[in-house]
Amino acid sequence: MDENKRTVIVVGAGIVGAAIAFELQRRGRQVTFVDKDEPGKGASFGNMASIALDFAASSGPSTWRKIPGWLLDPEGPVWLRPSYAPKMLPWFLRFVAAGRPSRLKEIEDAGMGLSRRALGDFRTMLDTIGAPDLMTEEGCLAIYETESEFTGDRGHIELMRRYGFEHKVLSGAEIRDYEPALSPKIAKAVLMPDNKSIRDPYQLVLKLVDAAKALGATFTSGAIRTVERQANGAMAVLLEDERRLEVNDVVLAAGVPTRFIASALGEPIPLETERGYHTQIMKPGIAMRYSIIWPHRAFMVTPTAGGIRVGGNVELAGLDAPPDFRRPRILVRHAQRALPGLQVEDAKDWMGHRPALPDTLPIISPSSRIPGVWYATGHGHLGLTFSATTARLMADMMTGVTPEVDMTPFRINRY
């Protein structure tokens, strides 16, 4: 078979799957997207539209000290539903193991290695699909209501300094010079000029899908049952409706449900859902230049999708529990503390599932067992940020190009 005509199914049409499909199609593969939903309707629909280059591992001693207080605070940034706690235990033990000092340095090096490439890869992707204006040129402000909050986040600020990421510490009235809508009660802020925002993340997915289709890609709606390797070396994707699609390669980029397919293929991965909420406010009563993140309360406010989006936090409750829309209302109250003029008119709440691995690093890897199967999942809060870079690295591996990044930390069998 002509190498340039190899066929690929990309399972998952969120931002990561769409970016991979476009890059593979651009490099001469014949790609078919497969997703049970419309493109961009999963976690990518409700992300916080942030290109967040300030990678930080989720685990570590500083996090461990905070977890008890978070779990006991009904308005805290992490909420664990008691009925789901026993199922979380294996994941949580791996999470703690990932925070050991020796392991933490490896994770930071790997994550920052992706971050260093992310903005440049993203600009290239947007330019290639003819949509450079989808990215704003403004950065992000991390805000701190008190000096003690700022001091508590010094580890993160030091991490940015150590890895050479541009940032600037602001105080007092200088903060309002950058973002007048912020409350004078905000004592400190850190400007991260390279943490850009996307004007509409859902529209970005649609543009990537359209660009891939314009090059010849196709989309098939359906839920995946399993993947099989045929005697002739081809891969077969079996759908729930009994359809059978045969291709050369399969990329599994379906977010949290990827764990079920991986388990059926004999390589289980500790992939959990960190449920996230947002409120999209179309009549906020204020204008914002920058996105803001409040580290102490673990949420963001971003001007995007024609309005202002308030979202973040983590709920650990699995895939099947119904949403608890008290969570986004808590976030909106916190946002109004930072932005006193923020009004909540023409607003809609949303909940989605972030695919999270206990060591914070995504899986970007060939299967360890089955040639022709590839994985791109577990990006957690950084799916949008790392989407273009993941696409380039995956396409490199699949087309025989040596990636510029050491892919060892992202292998599927690292656990």
Side-chain angles (χ1 to χ4, degrees):
M1 179 179 289
D2 182 346
E3 181 70 11
N4 287 329
K5 296 298 182 183
R6 286 182 67 87
T7 52
V8 183
I9 281 179
V10 175
V11 181
I15 183 59
V16 172
I20 291 170
F22 169 71
E23 184 64 20
L24 286 171
Q25 189 72 36
R26 190 179 71 84
R27 297 197 195 190
R29 296 300 194 253
Q30 181 55 55
V31 177
T32 299
F33 297 89
V34 178
D35 199 306
K36 63 183 179 65
D37 297 316
E38 297 176 23
K41 286 294 190 178
S44 296
F45 181 84
N47 66 46
M48 288 308 296
S50 175
I51 309 299
L53 305 183
D54 54 320
F55 174 89
S58 295
S59 189
S62 63
T63 302
W64 303 339
R65 289 191 292 269
K66 296 174 184 176
I67 286 175
W70 286 345
L71 295 179
L72 292 172
D73 183 355
E75 296 193 358
V78 177
W79 189 46
L80 172 63
R81 291 201 188 186
S83 61
Y84 198 68
K87 295 182 180 179
M88 282 296 302
L89 183 59
W91 188 95
F92 183 73
L93 293 175
R94 286 191 171 101
F95 174 83
V96 171
R100 300 191 311 269
S102 59
R103 179 70 179 119
L104 199 56
K105 180 63 166 58
E106 295 173 351
I107 291 170
E108 289 170 351
D109 285 345
M112 284 296 192
L114 295 184
S115 288
R116 285 193 181 101
R117 293 181 52 111
L119 184 57
D121 288 343
F122 219 107
R123 289 192 190 280
T124 298
M125 182 177 74
L126 292 178
D127 288 344
T128 305
I129 65 172
D133 291 344
L134 272 179
M135 181 187 291
T136 69
E137 286 306 312
E138 284 71 28
C140 176
L141 288 167
I143 62 171
Y144 307 90
E145 192 172 35
T146 64
E147 289 288 341
S148 63
E149 282 187 15
F150 178 71
T151 301
D153 200 38
R154 278 195 177 277
H156 184 200
I157 297 168
E158 176 56 33
L159 186 71
M160 288 190 286
R161 182 179 296 111
R162 191 188 324 146
Y163 285 91
F165 282 88
E166 186 179 354
H167 63 285
K168 180 181 180 182
V169 177
L170 309 174
S171 300
E174 186 181 18
I175 299 170
R176 259 65 62 189
D177 292 339
Y178 281 84
E179 186 54 77
L182 280 168
S183 167
K185 294 181 180 179
I186 302 300
K188 279 280 201 303
V190 175
L191 172 65
M192 297 173 284
D194 289 333
N195 278 22
K196 310 298 186 185
S197 297
I198 299 301
R199 299 187 193 282
D200 192 323
Y202 174 58
Q203 289 301 317
L204 171 59
V205 175
L206 297 186
K207 285 184 180 294
L208 281 167
V209 171
D210 287 346
K213 286 181 176 179
L215 295 174
T218 59
F219 176 80
T220 294
S221 179
I224 303 296
R225 177 183 297 169
T226 191
V227 177
E228 296 178 351
R229 187 167 179 82
Q230 307 301 290
N232 63 1
M235 302 303 303
V237 174
L238 281 64
L239 304 183
E240 292 288 353
D241 61 8
E242 306 300 332
R243 282 180 292 161
R244 186 184 190 89
L245 309 175
E246 292 196 4
V247 290
N248 298 112
D249 296 284
V250 178
V251 179
L252 300 173
V256 181
T258 302
R259 76 186 188 197
F260 303 116
I261 306 173
S263 181
L265 295 178
E267 42 193 349
I269 50 179
L271 191 60
E272 260 298 342
T273 170
E274 290 186 358
R275 293 152 59 108
Y277 292 87
H278 85 220
T279 299
Q280 180 71 29
I281 306 169
M282 302 310 292
K283 295 180 180 179
I286 60 171
M288 294 177 63
R289 179 182 175 191
Y290 293 89
S291 62
I292 66 169
I293 183 168
W294 195 337
H296 181 70
R297 299 187 182 276
F299 77 96
M300 284 193 75
V301 185
T302 309
T304 191
I308 285 177
R309 181 170 294 180
V310 180
N313 276 3
V314 169
E315 181 189 35
L316 303 171
L319 285 170
D320 300 324
D324 182 350
F325 284 118
R326 292 175 297 177
R327 306 302 298 172
R329 293 174 198 131
I330 290 169
L331 297 183
V332 168
R333 288 203 304 273
H334 291 334
Q336 289 175 315
R337 185 181 181 99
L339 300 158
L342 179 63
Q343 300 174 20
V344 187
E345 294 184 21
D346 190 9
K348 188 173 183 180
D349 295 331
W350 174 92
M351 188 276 286
H353 298 275
R354 309 182 191 98
L357 291 160
D359 61 3
T360 317
L361 297 174
I363 292 171
I364 310 169
S365 170
S367 167
S368 63
R369 301 185 71 250
I370 305 173
V373 174
W374 306 80
Y375 291 88
T377 191
H379 292 73
H381 297 246
L382 298 173
L384 180 65
T385 301
F386 289 159
S387 57
T389 299
T390 296
R392 293 191 67 176
L393 295 172
M394 181 63 73
D396 284 348
M397 291 189 292
M398 293 179 69
T399 59
V401 176
T402 301
E404 295 178 2
V405 171
D406 177 10
M407 300 306 296
T408 304
F410 312 105
R411 67 193 185 281
I412 188 170
N413 58 344
R414 66 183 185 258
Y415 293 100

